[in-house]
Amino acid sequence: MTDMASLMEDRAAAKVISDNLHKPVDWDSPKIARNIKKRYAAERRFKFYGLAAIGVALLALFVLAGSIGSKGYTAFFQTYVQLEITFDQDAIDPDRTGDPAVIGKANFDGLIKQALRERFPQVTGRQEKRDLYSIVSGGASYDLRERVMENPGLIGQTRKVWLISGDDFDMLNKGYISADVEEGNRRLNDEEIAWYDALKSDGAVEKQFHTRFFTNGDSREPELAGIWGAAVGSLYTLMVTLALSFPIGVLAAVYLEEFAPKNRFTQIVEVNINNLAAVPSIVFGLLGLEVYLNVMHLPRSAPVVGGLTLALMTLPTIIIASRAAIKAVPPSIRQAALGLGASPVQTVTHHVLPLAMPGILTGTIIGMAQALGETAPLLMIGMVAFIVDIPGGALDPATVLPVQIYLWADSPERAFVEKTSAAIMVLLAFLVLMNGLAVYLRKKFERKW
Amino acid sequence: MSLSFLLLAVAALCVLSFYFGRQRAIALSGGRYSNLHSLPTHYGMYVALWCGLPALLLLVVWYMFQGSIIEAMIIADLPAEITGDPGKLSLALNSISLIAEGGGQHLTVSPEVVDAGRRLARLHTIANAALIVVMLASASVGIMLSYRKIDPEMRARNNVERISRWIMIACSAIAILSTVGIVFSLLFEALHFFSKISPLEFLFGLEWSPQTAIRADQVASDGAFGAIPLFVGTLLITLIAMAVAVPVGLFSAIYMGEYASSKFRSVAKPALEILAGVPTVVYGFFAALTVAPFLRDNGAIIGLDVSSESALAAGLVMGVMIIPFVSSLSDDVMSQVPQSLRDGSYGLGATKSETIRHVIFPAALPGIVGAVLLAVSRAIGETMIVVMAAGLAANLTVNPLQAVTTVTVQIVTLLVGDQEFNSAKTLSAFALGLVLFLVTLGLNVFALKVVQKYREKYD
Amino acid sequence: MAAVSQSAMTAEPSVASPKMTARDLNLSYGDNQALFDVNLDIVERQVTALIGPSGCGKSTFLRCMNRMNDTIDGVTIKGEVTLDGRDIYDKRIDVVQLRARIGMVFQKPNPFPKTIYDNVAYGPRIHGLVNSRDELDQIVMTSLERAGLLKEVKDRLQSPATGLSGGQQQRLCIARAVAVSPEVILMDEPCSALDPIATAKVEELIDELRSNYTIVIVTHSMQQAARVSQRTAFFHLGKLVEVGETDQIFTNPKDERTKGYITGRFG
């Protein structure tokens, strides 16, 4: 009974509302106007959040680029000091043999030290002298030797020579060490700064373009350290990676896209590829360590092992990109080829692959760019060793650019900060080039079917 | 070096055999290709495949086993006092390989070890020579056998296509092989580790200090291997990263997808993607040398004691790195919400933000959850930023201003540099790797399933 | 010939006080002109059907009437559309309010992935039309009732709307539109995705709604236009060819093209 009553009541209430419902809303009422205002304010706020989010991301990008650029650009120049070197016959080639072997063994370091002592005769103490010698880099004597070897006529003469300076002196000249800081808190004492001022006022300090940075291998001395060794290591590593991952990746993509029956095997492969793409890179490093080094006993620190490890990592990228490119080729082309009696393999090699190649190459370049920037797995397989020599092949111990950056970032010397930043700039330049090439390829061969 | 020459030699043989195979087919055809079952090039490829393929397979198999066989031979000849003790053995093996490479003069080792070193060098030379002989022999045999088979009736094309099909299947199987390889290498070493340290202690222990494990008198003594501080540190940094990446990434995606003009999008989108292309080592450097000092100095100004290797610095920078990842994934997901839903909402007089908040976002939520899970898995596995900017000290804390360490940092520290295999310290890295792999795999599988389901809903 | 019939059209507005009017409406997507000088009056509390072959611009015209084309990039609109004598393309008109006054039902049922209740409550909520939960409940109930759906969904208001059948979903969309008390309801081929039984129900519903709302319906089916509408407008190639009482259009069309279309010679 009560149910019935309440139902009737509901009906009645519904009727009232129902009558109200087709009475137009008074859109000009103050309540509605207020509401509209609030809604538009919310709209503006929401839009602002979106813009702010993009702003935050771009700001981070600018700060990142700015901090690296501002720290790194100085590394492309190096401070040189001009000294008056006496190429003393007795010191270089006392028996006047003129034999390059004898000259090569001469104590050029001593000549530089002597020149420094002559320039600052007031320096006498042991520690003071050591400080004085550190104005010039340990590498300067090699330069001097080379100079004399090339031009033996110098022997017996006195010449003004520009010599590469030590790292602290370089930092002082570049303004990274400030004379205003209390003496105990800086790398150079007051006396050393006075020497600098004296040399500077003679015009005997200048910055020159630092070619060594691009041509040298690693070194413990920041002013002698260069990225060439790491760059060559990266090159060998990437060559191995490319040689393995490109053919394997493309063949796998062709199989999965064109030939594979829909069975369990194919399904497992697909799931595997998708998951491999998301496995942390360091896990690939562990795989490389265990399989390549501990089981197969391949040489440690060698680009070949790095390449093998990175190949497994880039494989999913290449397979996924290649499959997308192959899928984009319209079926009509395959049907046309098959209709002319071409075999499936011929159809793929003659028609599908050439048409998909720009997309495949784009994906491959992006995969290679990822591999070029990868660090963690290479730490696992020992490509993190301190290696001075430029590697001569894929089996020599080597390091790669990102690992070099990691190593330098870990070094305590102040001068390595600018080297690290500069190495990052070089690495980023390579990445920009590669990605630019990928974008160019995509734009040039973009095709709408 | 000899390896690349060997490969070049085999490649040259392949080219030659292709040429001769083709010539023979042409000769047999008597000038009319229609007499042949297949094109002459197919006969050439048939011979070339039989020349190169077995040789290459042989090479791979050879390298898989050469190391362990030689090592076994060396160990077999070592005196029992060395082989009986795993610590001594690994030390001796290190010295032996040093001596074999012509170094190790400064080592003070027993004459057996020196002999073994020389023997190792000799074995390597023999093995390399043998490899060359075997590979070239296999290539030649392959050429001879297949060359003789050339006949106008032979179905060369079908043969070549069958072989290439198997090559393609093998290439696809590499994906499975690498997963299997990962699982087995992690599992093998991790089980080794768990035979020394109980899994319960590893998973639930509160103290982590593997460095103390090495003591002079005990090669494999126990340190403390409780991984909880690592897990907490990893989660803390991941959480900070997500706190940056999820809101920023999501709102960027919303703005790009729903508000931005196409001109703005064409500039801002690639700019955001640059963030994704920056190598992690660069982020690490940025975190360690710019962000961390900035936080420390500013913290000091407002009276906060911020560690110079704070979780906050690493987390913030990692968040920046993940922004484009979240943004592009959620952009994908939200653009899949059908236009009809937007129309329905606009048709009722909803504003853009109301439509986004009440219709698009809820509709896209499963996909966005999937995207965030993928981002979490990436943050957990990220290595270089934390290696360079987070600490090594395994503090059990959730204070973002303090230094914490993560699973990946520990794997790197434990395995970089000289390792003693078989010590619990080294093996623990593999146990950590196993945990890392399983967790990220679980997250990925789950996230991909969620996204997949979502896609199907709107396809 | 065409020019003559065109000017004849402009003279046609025989309607005393139309609810909505379109005057010299032109619309282009970029360089593609989709509507040419459309002049049409919509009579209050009647159903006006827009018919014509596909691509003739009838849907485009419908979307102009509540400014749904605003959301598409590169659209330019010239001319005037009025509601109660006011130009809806006037800068001072708030498009959000406008769309509440002129509701829309789409070709494919598009319930939001929310509960049935929340779907209907969505409009009143965003427009702030209610002060209490009770009021909202009432609006939801009556709207569902109006759409003839209440009986079917009464017991599962909190279950997801996507679980309804196609016809139910479309009626839910109508309930959703009704819930904000619109004056005009635009329907863009509302039955094209429905089976005949669901179509019959929706048509019945349209007929009932006529007593309270002004309805404009785009339809592909001439039978439907004949069944539900009082006035019919025939579009062809972006032009309004002929408009008049439905009976007249179907029995005695003035234009050859209209005749051709309704007798099935093209379409």
Side-chain angles (χ1 to χ4, degrees):
Chain A
M1 236 1 242
T2 43
D3 277 3
M4 199 59 199
S6 77
L7 195 68
M8 297 288 281
E9 236 167 74
D10 278 358
R11 282 266 169 83
K15 184 84 181 78
V16 175
I17 295 277
S18 164
D19 287 341
N20 284 336
L21 201 59
H22 47 87
K23 232 182 265 163
V25 177
D26 178 10
W27 290 103
D28 297 326
S29 75
K31 188 190 152 220
I32 296 282
R34 267 201 313 280
N35 182 43
I36 288 272
K37 221 173 176 176
K38 250 171 49 196
R39 288 171 65 196
Y40 276 116
E43 171 75 18
R44 277 193 301 276
R45 258 196 326 270
F46 193 76
K47 195 172 168 182
F48 170 75
Y49 294 150
L51 203 56
I54 294 180
V56 166
L58 293 185
L59 181 74
L61 181 62
F62 282 126
V63 172
L64 175 67
S67 91
I68 285 169
S70 66
K71 277 187 190 131
Y73 77 97
T74 48
F76 298 119
F77 295 91
Q78 170 67 34
T79 305
Y80 281 74
V81 184
Q82 194 182 41
L83 287 177
E84 209 166 86
I85 301 279
T86 309
F87 294 95
D88 188 358
Q89 178 82 60
D90 291 334
I92 298 172
D93 187 10
D95 305 328
R96 290 173 169 70
T97 55
D99 180 3
V102 175
I103 298 174
K105 283 202 182 114
N107 181 9
F108 289 98
D109 203 30
L111 295 185
I112 296 169
K113 284 178 177 163
Q114 192 190 344
L116 282 165
R117 280 196 306 271
E118 281 165 11
R119 177 65 186 75
F120 296 104
Q122 70 275 25
V123 176
T124 50
R126 233 178 112 92
Q127 181 59 41
E128 266 185 308
K129 274 188 185 160
R130 197 173 300 156
D131 290 345
L132 181 67
Y133 297 154
S134 77
I135 290 178
V136 174
S137 162
S141 57
Y142 299 99
D143 291 355
L144 213 55
R145 173 198 296 151
E146 217 167 282
R147 195 182 271 254
V148 173
M149 304 277 266
E150 270 171 30
N151 181 9
L154 282 174
I155 299 173
Q157 297 187 14
T158 298
R159 283 284 177 85
K160 284 197 167 175
V161 179
W162 286 105
L163 296 169
I164 183 166
S165 73
D167 57 330
D168 286 334
F169 195 78
D170 182 44
M171 288 295 101
L172 177 65
N173 187 37
K174 285 171 177 167
Y176 290 118
I177 296 176
S178 163
D180 302 332
V181 179
E182 208 183 311
E183 189 174 1
N185 291 341
R186 55 175 139 84
R187 297 265 305 162
L188 297 174
N189 57 33
D190 289 344
E191 200 176 13
E192 291 176 285
I193 289 177
W195 296 334
Y196 168 77
D197 290 339
L199 285 167
K200 183 93 184 163
S201 62
D202 288 357
V205 178
E206 73 169 29
K207 276 187 262 181
Q208 295 178 6
F209 187 70
H210 193 28
T211 42
R212 249 178 240 265
F213 179 70
F214 296 99
T215 55
N216 272 22
D218 197 7
S219 167
R220 298 274 186 223
E221 306 297 327
E223 72 275 10
L224 300 177
I227 53 166
W228 184 240
V232 172
S234 273
L235 179 73
Y236 285 131
T237 308
L238 281 193
M239 270 166 39
V240 174
T241 305
L242 183 66
L244 289 169
S245 63
F246 180 70
I248 294 178
V250 173
L251 287 175
V254 167
Y255 179 72
L256 291 175
E257 210 47 60
E258 299 283 329
F259 298 107
K262 286 267 163 285
N263 61 15
R264 221 175 153 68
F265 172 77
T266 322
Q267 228 176 352
I268 293 175
V269 171
E270 299 210 10
V271 171
N272 251 305
I273 290 170
N274 285 334
N275 285 323
L276 275 182
V279 168
S281 60
I282 193 165
V283 172
F284 284 97
L286 290 173
L287 170 73
L289 172 62
E290 181 68 17
V291 172
Y292 299 138
L293 297 188
N294 289 341
V295 174
M296 290 169 69
H297 292 270
L298 293 174
R300 252 179 105 77
S301 310
V304 88
V305 180
L308 280 164
T309 308
L310 292 181
L312 289 184
M313 261 187 67
T314 41
L315 208 51
T317 311
I318 294 181
I319 293 179
I320 290 170
S322 304
R323 288 188 68 178
I326 292 170
K327 210 181 245 162
V329 176
S332 61
I333 292 196
R334 296 181 184 90
Q335 282 153 13
L338 292 172
L340 288 171
S343 71
V345 172
Q346 284 171 327
T347 306
V348 168
T349 49
H350 296 172
H351 301 282
V352 177
L353 266 187
L355 289 171
M357 207 32 94
I360 294 176
L361 287 180
T362 308
T364 306
I365 294 171
I366 288 172
M368 287 298 116
Q370 275 172 11
L372 175 60
E374 198 53 70
T375 320
L378 302 180
L379 300 182
M380 299 288 92
I381 51 156
M383 290 191 87
V384 64
F386 171 72
I387 290 152
V388 179
D389 298 326
I390 314 290
L395 291 170
D396 289 355
T399 188
V400 294
L401 274 175
V403 175
Q404 186 70 74
I405 289 166
Y406 167 68
L407 286 171
W408 282 352
D410 241 14
S411 304
E413 284 90 351
R414 177 66 186 74
F416 271 123
V417 173
E418 63 163 28
K419 303 284 169 213
T420 314
S421 305
I424 288 176
M425 285 155 82
V426 173
L427 175 63
L428 290 181
F430 277 120
L431 290 176
V432 167
L433 267 179
M434 291 171 82
N435 283 301
L437 185 64
V439 171
Y440 170 79
L441 269 178
R442 184 158 45 202
K443 283 258 152 69
K444 174 139 194 223
F445 294 99
E446 201 166 43
R447 207 190 290 242
K448 283 269 182 292
W449 299 100
Chain B
M1 235 25 242
S2 67
L3 178 66
S4 32
F5 279 123
L6 187 56
L7 286 174
L8 276 178
V10 173
L13 274 179
C14 284
V15 172
L16 274 179
S17 53
F18 173 80
Y19 177 76
F20 283 118
R22 192 168 164 271
Q23 286 310 106
R24 178 163 162 91
I26 291 174
L28 286 175
S29 75
R32 284 177 60 92
Y33 291 175
S34 53
N35 291 340
L36 296 172
H37 171 270
S38 312
L39 290 175
T41 34
H42 287 129
Y43 293 92
M45 278 199 290
Y46 180 74
V47 183
L49 279 175
W50 272 107
C51 157
L53 213 55
L56 279 181
L57 282 178
L58 208 78
L59 177 80
V60 171
V61 174
W62 187 283
Y63 265 102
M64 272 205 243
F65 295 109
Q66 173 182 320
S68 21
I69 290 175
I70 291 184
E71 191 182 86
M73 287 167 76
I74 293 289
I75 291 175
D77 281 8
L78 284 176
E81 55 176 293
I82 296 178
T83 50
D85 181 337
K88 270 189 194 166
L89 180 61
S90 89
L91 213 76
L93 286 177
N94 276 340
S95 319
I96 290 172
S97 60
L98 253 176
I99 293 166
E101 281 158 27
Q105 283 81 2
H106 60 284
L107 293 174
T108 47
V109 287
S110 59
E112 290 101 330
V113 171
V114 177
D115 280 349
R118 297 214 182 98
R119 187 145 172 260
L120 180 63
R122 213 162 47 239
L123 282 176
H124 271 301
T125 324
I126 294 172
N128 278 337
L131 175 64
I132 293 173
V133 171
V134 169
M135 261 180 85
L136 292 181
S138 121
S140 324
V141 170
I143 293 175
M144 280 199 296
L145 288 182
S146 55
Y147 189 81
R148 275 217 219 127
K149 269 188 157 177
I150 291 181
D151 178 279
E153 297 293 300
M154 193 187 86
R155 299 153 70 90
R157 183 174 57 74
N158 306 44
N159 273 321
V160 167
E161 289 184 357
R162 209 182 50 240
I163 295 172
S164 26
R165 202 184 173 84
W166 278 107
I167 294 176
M168 287 193 282
I169 292 178
C171 287
S172 313
I174 287 192
I176 298 180
L177 269 183
S178 16
T179 307
V180 171
I182 288 173
V183 170
F184 273 93
S185 47
L186 291 179
L187 211 57
F188 180 71
E189 301 291 351
L191 287 179
H192 214 142
F193 172 73
F194 288 133
S195 68
K196 294 172 196 273
I197 310 286
S198 107
L200 284 180
E201 189 195 326
F202 173 70
L203 288 175
F204 300 109
L206 297 180
E207 202 192 326
W208 178 267
S209 54
Q211 303 301 342
T212 57
I214 308 287
R215 286 204 299 263
D217 53 336
Q218 276 172 293
V219 178
S221 80
D222 301 357
F225 289 99
I228 287 285
L230 274 51
F231 298 152
V232 171
T234 308
L235 283 183
L236 178 63
I237 290 180
T238 303
L239 210 65
I240 298 170
M242 287 301 124
V244 174
V246 171
V248 175
L250 208 52
F251 269 105
S252 314
I254 287 173
Y255 190 86
M256 295 275 194
E258 308 286 332
Y259 286 103
S261 67
S262 55
K263 210 168 161 192
F264 180 87
R265 207 171 23 237
S266 69
V267 176
K269 215 171 172 165
L272 270 193
E273 263 148 33
I274 292 177
L275 280 178
V278 173
T280 54
V281 68
V282 177
Y283 281 112
F285 178 70
F286 179 61
L289 267 95
T290 306
V291 178
F294 176 82
L295 291 177
R296 193 189 50 217
D297 298 347
N298 283 284
I301 290 172
I302 57 168
L304 282 177
D305 183 22
V306 184
S307 157
S308 52
E309 291 178 325
S310 63
L312 190 59
L316 286 179
V317 173
M318 196 189 283
V320 169
M321 181 191 85
I322 295 176
I323 288 172
F325 190 73
V326 174
S327 140
S328 76
L329 278 176
S330 34
D331 192 13
D332 272 5
V333 164
M334 284 194 285
S335 64
Q336 271 174 342
V337 173
Q339 182 63 29
S340 69
L341 283 187
R342 286 160 225 254
D343 281 349
S345 177
Y346 293 138
L348 285 169
T351 62
K352 237 175 193 182
S353 65
E354 284 161 354
T355 305
I356 293 163
R357 279 184 294 146
H358 299 310
V359 177
I360 300 177
F361 186 76
L365 195 60
I368 290 174
V369 169
V372 170
L373 287 181
L374 285 177
V376 167
S377 125
R378 172 164 287 212
I380 290 176
E382 170 47 40
T383 308
M384 290 321 291
I385 294 178
V386 278
V387 165
M388 295 170 82
L392 291 175
N395 296 325
L396 183 54
T397 175
V398 289
N399 180 355
L401 304 181
Q402 285 188 14
V404 295
T405 192
T406 72
V407 173
T408 49
V409 171
Q410 289 305 316
I411 294 177
V412 170
T413 12
L414 292 170
L415 290 184
V416 166
D418 287 330
Q419 312 139 10
E420 273 177 85
F421 249 76
N422 284 326
S423 82
K425 177 190 158 209
T426 312
L427 292 174
S428 68
F430 284 89
L432 289 175
L434 184 65
V435 172
L436 180 67
F437 177 71
L438 290 179
V439 169
T440 51
L441 185 74
L443 277 172
N444 290 328
V445 171
F446 183 64
L448 287 176
K449 267 232 166 88
V450 169
V451 173
Q452 191 74 32
K453 268 240 167 80
Y454 170 77
R455 292 232 163 101
E456 280 162 9
K457 193 164 123 199
Y458 288 119
D459 262 351
Chain C
M1 239 319 264
V4 173
S5 73
Q6 202 69 202
S7 58
M9 292 310 338
T10 323
E12 200 267 349
S14 53
V15 183
S17 60
K19 181 72 183 167
M20 293 187 77
T21 65
R23 289 286 171 264
D24 299 324
L25 191 67
N26 284 282
L27 178 142
S28 11
Y29 299 106
D31 294 335
N32 273 341
Q33 187 156 5
L35 290 177
F36 299 85
D37 293 321
V38 176
N39 287 285
L40 181 64
D41 290 350
I42 305 295
V43 184
E44 189 161 14
R45 300 201 183 198
Q46 276 197 0
V47 178
T48 306
L50 311 181
I51 60 170
S54 49
C56 68
K58 52 192 194 301
S59 285
T60 307
F61 176 73
L62 191 77
R63 292 170 69 94
C64 282
M65 297 179 69
N66 71 343
R67 295 183 54 178
M68 280 301 278
N69 288 327
D70 286 18
T71 55
I72 302 169
D73 286 340
V75 170
T76 46
I77 299 167
K78 283 197 205 99
E80 194 185 62
V81 179
T82 67
L83 173 67
D84 291 335
R86 283 186 70 190
D87 183 6
I88 65 168
Y89 282 92
D90 189 318
K91 278 211 176 74
R92 280 164 301 178
I93 289 284
D94 179 22
V95 64
V96 161
Q97 272 186 21
L98 176 81
R99 290 192 190 135
R101 292 177 65 189
I102 307 175
M104 192 158 191
V105 176
F106 298 85
Q107 195 167 351
K108 247 180 75 189
N110 55 354
F112 302 137
K114 297 168 178 277
T115 63
I116 294 171
Y117 183 95
D118 285 338
N119 261 280
V120 183
Y122 180 72
R125 269 189 185 138
I126 59 169
H127 290 293
L129 300 183
V130 288
N131 295 317
S132 65
R133 178 80 196 190
D134 281 352
E135 257 180 85
L136 188 60
D137 285 351
Q138 290 291 6
I139 289 195
V140 171
M141 294 302 184
T142 26
S143 304
L144 284 171
E145 167 127 56
R146 292 234 143 158
L149 195 61
L150 186 60
K151 248 192 270 169
E152 291 156 63
V153 301
K154 199 166 50 196
D155 305 324
R156 44 174 177 150
L157 288 175
Q158 296 306 327
S159 50
T162 41
L164 296 174
S165 72
Q168 289 174 323
Q169 287 188 3
Q170 194 61 304
R171 280 181 285 146
L172 178 69
C173 291
I174 294 174
R176 194 171 68 185
V178 165
V180 285
S181 301
E183 296 154 47
V184 182
I185 300 177
L186 309 175
M187 298 186 174
D188 189 356
E189 301 193 27
C191 302
S192 66
L194 305 184
D195 60 75
I197 294 170
T199 302
K201 275 199 176 154
V202 172
E203 285 179 2
E204 207 175 298
L205 173 59
I206 292 171
D207 202 48
E208 277 169 28
L209 292 171
R210 171 161 67 97
S211 54
N212 291 319
Y213 306 95
T214 306
I215 294 172
V216 184
I217 178 170
V218 165
T219 174
H220 223 75
S221 131
M222 283 175 283
Q223 288 83 347
Q224 186 171 59
R227 281 194 300 265
V228 300
S229 73
Q230 286 72 53
R231 277 165 62 80
T232 297
F234 172 63
F235 280 75
H236 183 52
L237 297 176
K239 290 177 181 132
L240 174 61
V241 174
E242 186 170 358
V243 57
E245 299 291 320
T246 300
D247 288 348
Q248 176 252 313
I249 293 281
F250 280 98
T251 52
N252 185 19
K254 291 182 183 131
D255 193 286
E256 278 305 310
R257 287 168 290 178
T258 318
K259 197 179 276 173
Y261 180 69
I262 58 177
T263 52
R265 256 176 283 148
F266 68 93

